[in-house]
Amino acid sequence: MGLAKTEMFTDNQNEIALFAKAFGHPARVAILQHLFKINSCVCGDLVNEIGLAQPTISQHLKELKNLGLIKGDVEGTSVCYCINDASWSKMKRVMSEFLDQDLTKNGDCC
Amino acid sequence: MGLAKTEMFTDNQNEIALFAKAFGHPARVAILQHLFKINSCVCGDLVNEIGLAQPTISQHLKELKNLGLIKGDVEGTSVCYCINDASWSKMKRVMSEFLDQDLTKNGDCC
DNA sequence: ATAATTCATCGTAATATTGCAATGAAACAA
DNA sequence: TTGTTTCATTGCAATATTACGATGAATTAT
């Protein structure tokens, strides 16, 4: 039905899925990489940097902002975006715990 | 249009997005966590472990298999699933490079 | 005031995803 | 053979996502 049954999963599993979904589109990956690269706020040139229409970029930015991964401060007529360092670190801990699971290589299968 | 314009992004950005999308559903997160937890093949009890219908689980498994993150070997009448260790490591490198970007904290904004 | 700039929101179209009942295919047991 | 088990596939309905034109709101410039 296009609707994930989140109620049957743990908070941790749902949280991982939410973060992962945010990274599940190359435009959002590109936005975040650019914010890291310039290591500062970016005011507006994201539409030029990435090749999508302005409303589309705005929508992707909104998703990242809703998740808390970026901040957007109004600066006169433009808006200043940057990584939310604290949220990014928190997300990194959650994702790393998931990704860094390790196999003890018991090798009795496959 | 529901169609990501992958052609305007780098291979790396598209690859990150593909992996992230795989983790973007709690059922797939749960499946992978279970495979790690038992640290062995699992033959069939995933449908009981997770609370979704058998065709739904089968579909999620297919996506993970297509990405190469898990292997599925036929074993008589059942199928034996486990993590593909090599692919998982490769994915981890790609994702870590993205997640471990760091701010040098210039602090001249926001 | 008028115009220009910048970004958000609305509305809509196209496509993707999720979930499951029904069914199919393959291996095994009786 | 006939049935049983296990898993994949098909077909469909419901919902989500992606993209963008049109428009709106706010700020600044003239």
Side-chain angles (χ1 to χ4, degrees):
Chain A
M1 303 168 170
L3 174 60
K5 295 194 150 181
T6 57
E7 74 277 6
M8 50 186 22
F9 301 102
T10 68
D11 287 349
N12 178 254
Q13 286 162 345
N14 283 314
E15 192 179 20
I16 291 169
L18 278 182
F19 281 134
K21 214 191 290 192
F23 304 142
H25 193 291
R28 292 191 289 269
V29 172
I31 288 172
L32 291 165
Q33 283 180 334
H34 186 65
L35 290 181
F36 271 111
K37 182 177 155 206
I38 63 169
N39 193 33
S40 159
C41 286
V42 60
C43 300
D45 55 342
L46 276 170
V47 175
N48 302 327
E49 194 66 28
I50 308 189
L52 297 173
Q54 179 266 325
T56 307
I57 298 292
S58 188
Q59 197 173 319
H60 285 305
L61 286 168
K62 190 182 178 182
E63 291 178 53
L64 294 173
K65 215 160 86 176
N66 285 345
L67 250 186
L69 292 175
I70 64 175
K71 292 185 285 188
D73 291 337
V74 178
E75 189 122 335
T77 166
S78 67
V79 177
C80 194
Y81 288 104
C82 62
I83 301 284
N84 184 332
D85 212 3
S87 296
W88 188 267
S89 297
K90 182 164 168 288
M91 174 280 295
K92 237 168 61 174
R93 273 198 302 279
V94 173
M95 292 303 284
S96 294
E97 194 182 347
F98 172 66
L99 296 176
D100 289 349
Q101 288 174 298
D102 254 326
L103 297 173
T104 354
K105 259 317 196 201
N106 62 359
D108 66 351
C109 64
C110 297
Chain B
M1 305 162 172
L3 175 59
K5 296 193 151 183
T6 56
E7 74 278 6
M8 50 186 20
F9 301 102
T10 68
D11 286 351
N12 178 255
Q13 286 161 346
N14 283 315
E15 193 179 20
I16 292 170
L18 277 182
F19 282 134
K21 215 192 290 194
F23 304 143
H25 193 291
R28 291 190 290 267
V29 172
I31 288 172
L32 292 165
Q33 284 180 333
H34 186 65
L35 290 181
F36 271 111
K37 183 177 153 206
I38 63 168
N39 193 32
S40 161
C41 284
V42 61
C43 300
D45 54 342
L46 276 170
V47 175
N48 302 326
E49 195 67 28
I50 309 189
L52 297 172
Q54 180 266 325
T56 308
I57 298 292
S58 188
Q59 197 173 318
H60 285 306
L61 286 169
K62 189 182 179 183
E63 291 179 54
L64 294 172
K65 215 160 86 176
N66 284 345
L67 250 185
L69 291 175
I70 65 175
K71 291 184 285 190
D73 292 336
V74 177
E75 188 121 336
T77 165
S78 68
V79 178
C80 194
Y81 288 104
C82 63
I83 301 284
N84 184 333
D85 213 2
S87 297
W88 188 267
S89 297
K90 183 164 168 288
M91 175 279 296
K92 237 168 60 175
R93 272 198 301 279
V94 173
M95 292 302 285
S96 294
E97 195 182 345
F98 172 66
L99 296 176
D100 289 349
Q101 289 174 297
D102 253 326
L103 297 173
T104 353
K105 256 320 195 200
N106 60 1
D108 66 354
C109 66
C110 299

